[in-house]
Structures are given as structure tokens and as C-alpha cells.
Amino acid sequence: MITITDYSVELIKDPFGIIPGKRVEFVLDIEVPEDDELYSENGLYVRVIYGVQDEDERIVKYEIHERGTEQYLEFDMEDDEVAVVEAFCREHWKVALDS
């Protein structure tokens, strides 16, 4: 199971109004157990694009990166890990509106 240790959040600006609703970018620092296939000594972060339109809130895209090298890791998170990230984003996306 992953643990979110820190985060940043930013509203993605859409000056031309092409994207319906709002898009928010999260960068989530995560910790994973050493026996997890995602584990890296350098640490990891997840870049998440979270979409909000009316009552529909969801992860549009996520990418896992190794901290320090910024290398993209071609792994998918488990369903329970995605649920943790989605719940976190749902709870914190409005912070981007205040920035």
C-alpha cells in the first residue's frame, strides 16, 4: 500500500476553453514498502491530472516517476492504490482554486 507524504497542486489554465470543466495537476510524493515492485531507494512521486466537471470527478491520467532521476516508470498502480490517490485528489483539488 502506498502512503502519500507530501503534495503540490496547481490548476491547469485553459485560456481557450477547449477542455470542459477544470483540470488540476497534483504531484504526490509517495512511500511504498521495500517489498513492493514500485519501490525505489531514490523515492517516488506520482504526477496526476485530475478532472472535475459538474458532479464528475476523476483521475484523467497518472504517471509514476523516480525522484532524483525523474525517470518515468511504466508501472500501473493496483486498484487499491488508485483508490487512495483518487480519494486524496477528491479531498484536496479545491486547494488549487486558492492559488
Side-chain angles (χ1 to χ4, degrees):
M1 180 60 80
I2 66 170
T3 303
I4 298 169
T5 58
D6 198 12
Y7 77 99
S8 64
V9 60
E10 184 177 322
L11 183 65
I12 298 174
K13 301 197 185 322
D14 179 21
F16 301 107
I18 296 170
I19 302 170
K22 294 178 177 33
R23 294 288 187 270
V24 179
E25 179 180 27
F26 283 88
V27 177
L28 307 174
D29 292 335
I30 62 169
E31 288 182 357
V32 297
E34 286 187 33
D35 61 349
D36 191 303
E37 68 180 341
L38 286 176
Y39 179 78
S40 167
E41 287 185 18
N42 293 333
L44 301 169
Y45 68 93
V46 181
R47 182 178 168 264
V48 180
I49 304 299
Y50 191 72
V52 178
Q53 183 178 4
D54 301 323
E55 298 300 315
D56 182 30
E57 298 181 16
R58 62 185 175 85
I59 293 175
V60 174
K61 176 183 177 181
Y62 71 84
E63 300 172 343
I64 303 169
H65 295 265
E66 184 176 48
R67 179 124 345 255
T69 65
E70 309 308 316
Q71 179 180 354
Y72 168 71
L73 303 177
E74 293 188 40
F75 287 102
D76 288 329
M77 292 187 288
E78 300 289 330
D79 290 343
D80 59 337
E81 295 169 332
V82 172
V84 167
V85 168
E86 190 156 26
F88 185 90
C89 292
R90 182 172 288 118
E91 184 176 330
H92 294 89
W93 74 267
K94 292 180 183 173
V95 172
L97 300 178
D98 298 333
S99 342

